[in-house]
Amino acid sequence: MTPAPQPTRLAIITRAIAVWLVLIVAEILHGIARGIFLVPHVGELRSSQIGVFTGSMIILVIAVAFVRWIDATRTSYLLAVGLLWLVLTLAFEVAFGRFVVGASWERLAADYNLLEGGLLPFGMLVLMLSPLIAAKVRGIG
């Protein structure tokens, strides 16, 4: 019996980007729902703080669902997928925030300011580590 062929790096990257698109759509919908249902009751800051935790759970669920399909079985590949997701997400956040929403740099940076209650650095850490966490949950690697 021959071992299964190892996926190419290009295949892993392509699949990782496809899953990132699922992640970003889920996070956009999460943000819309948060704005409609949570912001009016708890305010923008508290809603953003809660959103980091609920968004992290969404990311982890999606990562667990797709980690086998991505087929990154080495720890270094899983971390690279997470880093790719982080870079793509940060680029999307800046581009969407600045050019679609018209948010100021100060507004964009506020979610990352731990001293003022911004918790997004924790969410980004979860995002970056989610492929590795998902692989551990699924018994991969």
Side-chain angles (χ1 to χ4, degrees):
M1 182 176 211
T2 60
Q6 291 295 311
T8 65
R9 288 185 180 128
L10 180 59
I12 292 170
I13 291 167
T14 301
R15 290 176 180 182
I17 291 170
V19 175
W20 178 79
L21 290 170
V22 173
L23 286 170
I24 210 66
V25 168
E27 284 299 318
I28 289 169
L29 294 173
H30 173 248
I32 291 168
R34 190 175 57 78
I36 292 170
F37 299 111
L38 199 54
V39 170
H41 299 287
V42 299
E44 183 62 41
L45 176 62
R46 183 70 65 211
S47 173
S48 293
Q49 292 171 331
I50 294 167
V52 167
F53 295 102
T54 55
S56 293
M57 296 283 71
I58 292 167
I59 289 166
L60 287 169
V61 166
I62 292 170
V64 168
F66 286 100
V67 71
R68 283 194 192 280
W69 180 71
I70 293 171
D71 209 15
T73 55
R74 296 181 186 167
T75 299
S76 60
Y77 288 179
L78 292 161
L79 290 172
V81 167
L83 185 59
L84 175 63
W85 287 355
L86 175 65
V87 169
L88 290 172
T89 301
L90 290 172
F92 178 83
E93 289 232 344
V94 169
F96 187 82
R98 284 290 291 165
F99 304 116
V100 176
V101 176
S104 67
W105 289 112
E106 292 79 20
R107 173 62 191 102
L108 291 173
D111 289 334
Y112 294 88
N113 188 340
L114 294 171
L115 298 176
E116 293 188 16
L119 300 179
L120 207 48
F122 296 115
M124 292 298 157
L125 181 62
V126 170
L127 172 68
M128 190 178 79
L129 296 176
S130 64
L132 184 62
I133 294 167
K136 298 296 181 194
V137 168
R138 299 293 299 259
I140 300 169

